[in-house]
Amino acid sequence: MAWAGNQTLISHFVLLGLFTHTPLHLLLFSIIMVMFLVALSGNGLMILVINVDSRLHSPMYFFLSWLSLMDLMLISTIVPQMATDFLLGRGSISFTGCGLQILFSVTFLGDECFLLAFMAYDRYVAISNPLRYSVVMNRRVCWLMVGGSWLFGLVDGLIQAVFTLSFPYCGSQEIDHFFCEVPAVLKLACADTSLYETMIYVCCVLMLLLPFSVISASYLRILVAVLRMHSAEGRQKAFATCSSHMAVVTLFYGAAMITYMQPQIYHSSKQDKVVSAFYTMITPMLNPLIYSLRNKEVTGALRKLMGRCPRSGEQG
């Protein structure tokens, strides 16, 4: 600990976690660990299949592989630390560790916000203007979109990590959460954080509402284009693809908006934990399931990949 005037500044935090050692919470912890393993294997498999199968080398699957990578990194930033703290019965995390957790989690969340918007735009071009699709969504544009997503996410992560930990923290060390999330950490600051909270709100308007507006506009135009289609099969395929994307968008943006755009006065630790679990653990697990189960091309590529395994073993 360090001293600042008459106040004792704390040098580390204590995460209270998501669970206690009760039978029900042990069961919930086991479910979370199963979800973690499903998320790791599901997203890892999506990345592998998309890169191995040449039929999936298109902009939509290019973005999907990056979404899977972001989900892998996001859940890996949160769950291993939470599991370690629960199993060892400790929740201590240094200032540096907390800052890094804020940096990585906010960066990956920001990445996904913009990537989901670019994925919606990609579907809009594919359905509304198929003849110009390969020209508009060329390789260079796709890489610029992914690079832009990472850049915006990283800038947001750096700003929030640096500013959050620039406040003096004294008194209680206990963060009533399972990871260092900005709203939960700010509750412990022994300084006026209202100006910074306003800045976070403005940042979140840009990082959440701006991409969400692009998604909404894209899907509105997609809906109009789909309804004009003469082919029933084409309409069905377009609805299947877009409904999967909308399910992901609703889960992700809904949870993120509740956490970062709701005023602090309306926050409760229980609500924050449940909502945060949604976009840090549940969504990364569901994304590969939603995209693979409702997509014939992905399920076909998975069958093809699995079909190679026995033949490889027989040759050996």
Side-chain angles (χ1 to χ4, degrees):
M1 293 192 179
W3 293 86
N6 295 325
Q7 295 177 323
T8 306
L9 301 183
I10 59 178
S11 57
H12 67 280
F13 296 111
V14 176
L15 294 165
L16 297 184
L18 192 58
F19 307 113
T20 56
H21 288 270
T22 61
L24 175 61
H25 281 196
L26 285 170
L27 174 63
L28 292 174
F29 173 75
S30 302
I31 292 170
I32 291 290
M33 295 314 297
V34 170
M35 288 167 55
F36 176 61
L37 293 174
V38 170
L40 287 184
S41 55
N43 285 294
L45 195 58
M46 285 294 286
I47 294 169
L48 177 64
V49 167
I50 290 168
N51 281 281
V52 166
D53 198 309
S54 58
R55 294 174 299 175
L56 303 182
H57 291 176
S58 66
M60 182 177 84
Y61 297 110
F62 174 75
F63 291 135
L64 186 53
S65 67
W66 279 102
L67 180 67
S68 292
L69 179 62
M70 290 171 186
D71 280 336
L72 265 178
M73 297 172 82
L74 176 60
I75 199 168
S76 298
T77 301
I78 308 298
V79 175
Q81 173 80 43
M82 182 201 73
T84 303
D85 291 343
F86 177 76
L87 293 172
L88 298 181
R90 61 171 177 79
S92 180
I93 185 169
S94 66
F95 252 61
T96 303
C98 192
L100 288 173
Q101 204 171 52
I102 291 172
L103 170 64
F104 291 139
S105 60
V106 174
T107 295
F108 300 142
L109 285 171
D111 292 344
E112 286 206 28
C113 285
F114 283 95
L115 188 67
L116 287 170
F118 290 137
M119 288 173 73
Y121 177 74
D122 168 70
R123 290 299 83 208
Y124 160 67
V125 177
I127 293 170
S128 302
N129 201 352
L131 296 178
R132 286 184 50 80
Y133 178 65
S134 59
V135 176
V136 176
M137 298 301 297
N138 60 59
R139 189 175 182 81
R140 181 172 173 273
V141 169
C142 291
W143 276 108
L144 282 173
M145 286 178 169
V146 170
S149 298
W150 280 101
L151 179 62
F152 287 126
L154 181 60
V155 169
D156 188 36
L158 283 169
I159 289 171
Q160 294 208 37
V162 170
F163 277 90
T164 299
L165 295 188
S166 66
F167 289 104
Y169 290 89
C170 48
S172 176
Q173 299 170 282
E174 295 181 342
I175 300 174
D176 195 3
H177 214 298
F178 59 91
F179 74 103
C180 286
E181 191 170 52
V182 173
V185 175
L186 286 178
K187 289 178 182 178
L188 304 185
C190 47
D192 182 15
T193 61
S194 57
L195 181 62
Y196 176 55
E197 285 173 28
T198 303
M199 189 189 78
I200 289 180
Y201 185 82
V202 172
C203 269
C204 289
V205 168
L206 295 173
M207 298 295 290
L208 290 171
L209 286 188
L210 186 62
F212 190 72
S213 299
V214 172
I215 292 169
S216 301
S218 296
Y219 277 102
L220 189 61
R221 299 186 68 132
I222 286 171
L223 182 62
V224 172
V226 168
L227 292 174
R228 288 176 180 168
M229 285 182 178
H230 299 295
S231 166
E233 186 181 346
R235 278 199 302 270
Q236 187 178 0
K237 185 177 179 182
F239 272 126
T241 303
C242 295
S243 61
S244 300
H245 190 186
M246 283 308 297
V248 171
V249 166
T250 303
L251 289 171
F252 179 79
Y253 276 93
M257 283 178 180
I258 290 171
T259 299
Y260 286 95
M261 296 189 67
Q262 190 177 38
Q264 279 278 21
I265 192 170
Y266 298 115
H267 279 259
S268 70
S269 59
K270 284 185 178 179
Q271 174 194 292
D272 288 347
K273 289 178 185 180
V274 171
V275 173
S276 298
F278 232 93
Y279 70 79
T280 58
M281 290 183 273
I282 297 173
T283 303
M285 178 199 69
L286 289 178
N287 280 355
L289 298 177
I290 289 170
Y291 279 108
S292 62
L293 293 176
R294 292 183 61 88
N295 189 305
K296 291 180 181 178
E297 291 175 333
V298 174
T299 51
L302 279 169
R303 285 195 207 98
K304 183 180 175 184
L305 182 66
M306 296 303 178
R308 289 177 183 175
C309 299
R311 285 196 291 273
S312 305
E314 285 166 16
Q315 286 171 4

